[in-house]
Amino acid sequence: MIIIKIKDEGCRLTHEQLKQLGQPYYSTKTKGTELGLMISFDIIKRMHGKHKVSSKSDEGTCFILQFPYVMKP
């Protein structure tokens, strides 16, 4: 597996916000449509990958992306 970890040190997301991530037109910001995450999650799925998002107080939010490693001959 190829694992990519992306972490920020911003505000913690609530459990309800985490559940909504990737939904069309859901955003925690006043600008934007949040379609980017929806498309990103779809690409991850199409590549047979997995994603996990966690968020903790004083630590920020962490995205962990996993993709199968495929070696070309």
Side-chain angles (χ1 to χ4, degrees), residues 5 7 9 11 14 27 31-32 37 39-40 44 48 50 56 59 65 67 70 73:
K5 183 176 180 180
K7 186 175 180 182
E9 297 175 352
C11 297
T14 66
S27 180
K31 292 184 178 181
L37 266 183
I39 292 168
S40 296
I44 292 166
H48 305 288
K50 298 177 185 177
K56 296 181 181 177
E59 291 184 27
L65 313 176
F67 298 96
V70 179

Side-chain angles (χ1 to χ4, degrees), residues 6-72:
I6 303 167
K7 186 175 180 182
D8 73 14
E9 297 175 352
C11 297
R12 176 187 174 275
L13 296 175
T14 66
H15 180 69
E16 189 60 38
Q17 289 172 320
L18 286 172
K19 287 178 17 182
Q20 295 293 323
L21 286 181
Q23 297 297 315
Y25 307 110
Y26 175 77
S27 180
T28 59
K29 301 175 184 177
T30 56
K31 292 184 178 181
T33 61
E34 204 63 38
L35 291 175
L37 266 183
M38 182 186 78
I39 292 168
S40 296
F41 288 169
D42 184 60
I43 292 169
I44 292 166
K45 182 178 176 181
R46 289 172 187 255
M47 294 177 69
H48 305 288
K50 298 177 185 177
H51 70 275
K52 181 179 177 182
V53 184
S54 63
S55 192
K56 296 181 181 177
S57 294
D58 301 324
E59 291 184 27
T61 302
C62 182
F63 285 75
I64 297 176
L65 313 176
Q66 296 180 325
F67 298 96
Y69 180 76
V70 179
M71 190 173 215
K72 299 245 179 180

